[in-house]
Amino acid sequence: MGSLELRHLRYFVAVAETGSLTEAAARRLHTSQPSLSRQIRDLEHQVGVDLLSRSVRGVELTEAGRVFLAHARAIVMQVEASVEAARRAAQPMRRTFTVGFLTGLEPTWLPQAMEALQDRLPNIQVVVSSDYSPNLADALTRGRMDVAFMRAEPAYPLEYVVVEREPLIVLMPRDHRLATVDAVSPRELIGETFIGGSNKAGVLQAVTEDYLRRRGIDAAVDHGVDNMAMAMSLVASTRGLALMPAYALGLLPQSVVSRPLEGPTPTIEVVMGYSRANTSPVLKLFLRRLSAVEPSNSG
């Protein structure tokens, strides 16, 4: 039996993330299922414990497998980041600087981002990307992105600089009964169709749940949303209320209005995320310039 190799880790991560040997083999790894099963058995033999339990529903991680996955994923990401860094170093004349945005934050932060890079634009190509925060964190960790305006994702080994604390506001249909009030009491959320963050919007979900718990409000989330467009659509279609960050103000359709919360208002942080392993001088300059900048339409 050979030693533990990087491909074993890649295969294991793919199986763990898809929950299926068949799907991982066909869609992620482009290999045969028997070959993949053999590689996983080799890995378990090397580690000395069962990492997966097999059932009619597919495969599930054992407790040992859950622990192993966190380390395996970090190793794979670090190797990919090293490869990306080497490729960038080998192409000094074609330098790119990739900036990511949590979808919806572009109108607020893209102008400042471009202004901070203005004197470097003749020498670099700026690439702009929008995605969910966990996907941005993944890209930063793997070395595929330089910096991102996002939510802090504690599951990833990244550095974060807080650039803004956005208050949460209440979104509602334009003709909702609460549209006549100046500020919404949190107790008004009880009994209404309530829209909040999904697991993909984990930071928003956590801030909302903490706020409701501290105010003694038992308002279960009826619909969990991943992004602001989904929130707007559900507010309009279900005639429900949504607790969303204030950047929603720049995105409201005519059918949706907003009101502030009454009393102490919960806030959610906008951060610049980056990897400490990224030694780009452009990144250092960018962080220094942006750390002292106010958002362009924070009110």
Side-chain angles (χ1 to χ4, degrees), residues 73 136 205 247 277 290:
R73 190 183 272 144
L136 295 173
Q205 185 184 61
Y247 77 85
L290 264 293

Side-chain angles (χ1 to χ4, degrees), residues 50-83:
D50 289 338
L51 302 172
L52 299 168
S53 61
R54 294 148 181 86
S55 70
V56 293
R57 296 191 307 275
V59 292
E60 295 179 356
L61 291 169
T62 62
E63 186 58 37
R66 277 191 286 274
V67 173
F68 189 78
L69 175 62
H71 293 278
R73 190 183 272 144
I75 291 168
V76 171
M77 285 183 176
Q78 194 57 54
V79 169
E80 291 184 2
S82 301
V83 170

Side-chain angles (χ1 to χ4, degrees), residues 158-232:
L158 297 170
E159 302 293 318
Y160 298 110
V161 177
V162 177
V163 291
E164 185 182 10
R165 288 180 174 83
E166 293 185 284
L168 294 192
I169 58 177
V170 185
L171 305 185
M172 64 191 73
R174 179 171 291 278
D175 58 352
H176 193 279
R177 64 182 179 84
L178 292 175
T180 60
V181 304
D182 293 328
V184 177
S185 164
R187 299 213 161 271
E188 295 286 1
L189 302 175
I190 300 173
E192 294 280 345
T193 298
F194 184 47
I195 298 151
S198 70
N199 290 335
K200 280 188 178 177
V203 179
L204 173 61
Q205 185 184 61
V207 169
T208 302
E209 288 176 353
D210 179 65
Y211 169 70
L212 295 175
R213 187 170 54 249
R214 283 189 290 107
R215 298 303 297 263
I217 307 298
D218 184 18
V221 173
D222 297 293
H223 302 282
V225 297
D226 302 340
N227 56 62
M228 196 63 73
M230 198 184 298
M232 305 287 189

Side-chain angles (χ1 to χ4, degrees), residues 13-165:
V13 170
V15 172
E17 289 180 348
T18 59
S20 165
L21 284 160
T22 305
E23 187 175 343
R27 297 187 182 180
R28 290 275 295 269
L29 302 170
H30 308 294
T31 187
S32 68
Q33 185 181 330
S35 173
L36 176 57
S37 296
R38 188 167 58 251
Q39 298 289 343
I40 295 298
R41 283 197 301 272
D42 288 348
L43 173 62
E44 290 180 316
H45 181 78
Q46 289 287 333
V47 178
V49 297
D50 289 338
L51 302 172
L52 299 168
S53 61
R54 294 148 181 86
S55 70
V56 293
R57 296 191 307 275
V59 292
E60 295 179 356
L61 291 169
T62 62
E63 186 58 37
R66 277 191 286 274
V67 173
F68 189 78
L69 175 62
H71 293 278
R73 190 183 272 144
I75 291 168
V76 171
M77 285 183 176
Q78 194 57 54
V79 169
E80 291 184 2
S82 301
V83 170
E84 189 67 28
R87 286 174 177 168
R88 287 188 178 194
Q91 297 178 322
M93 300 306 292
R94 187 176 154 272
R95 291 178 60 181
T96 61
F97 187 77
T98 304
V99 185
F101 295 90
L102 171 65
T103 303
L105 288 181
E106 301 91 339
T108 307
W109 288 102
L110 182 56
Q112 276 81 1
M114 297 308 293
E115 186 176 336
L117 295 168
Q118 194 167 27
D119 57 346
R120 297 301 178 99
L121 290 179
N123 304 317
I124 62 173
Q125 176 189 359
V126 178
V127 178
V128 175
S129 177
S130 300
D131 212 326
Y132 301 124
S133 265
N135 295 345
L136 295 173
D138 187 81
L140 290 168
T141 304
R142 293 176 190 268
R144 296 173 181 169
M145 186 174 287
D146 291 291
V147 67
F149 292 84
M150 57 190 292
R151 308 298 181 205
E153 297 291 340
Y156 291 85
L158 297 170
E159 302 293 318
Y160 298 110
V161 177
V162 177
V163 291
E164 185 182 10
R165 288 180 174 83

